[in-house]
């Protein structure tokens, strides 16, 4: 005997999928900010110290 899923269970799974999608998007955003942010900060710091200027002999 197969049990049929009620509409109530399907609605709950759909809302869980939507919440999971929002969680994945926010996780990607956090990883992007904390991954790219420090790199940009380091580049700005090195540029301000003259790291990228060509050395003069």
């Amino acid at each position: 005997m197969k049990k049929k899923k009620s509409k109530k269970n399907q609605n709950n799974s759909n809302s869980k999928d939507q919440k999971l999608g929002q969680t994945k998007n926010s996780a990607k955003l956090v990883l992007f900010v904390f991954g790219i942010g420090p790199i940009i900060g380091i580049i700005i710091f090195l540029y301000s110290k003259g790291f990228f200027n060509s050395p003069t002999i």
Side-chain angles (χ1 to χ4, degrees), residues 3-18:
K3 293 183 180 180
K4 292 184 178 181
K5 289 186 178 180
S6 66
K7 290 182 181 179
K8 196 173 194 180
N9 286 344
Q10 289 177 349
N11 289 339
N12 286 343
S13 65
N14 286 341
S15 65
K16 285 181 184 177
D17 290 342
Q18 289 174 353

Side-chain angles (χ1 to χ4, degrees), residues 31-52:
L31 286 174
F32 180 77
V33 168
F34 285 100
I36 302 298
I39 293 171
I40 294 172
I42 291 169
I43 290 171
I44 292 171
F45 174 76
L46 291 175
Y47 186 77
S48 68
K49 297 293 180 183
F51 182 79
F52 295 108

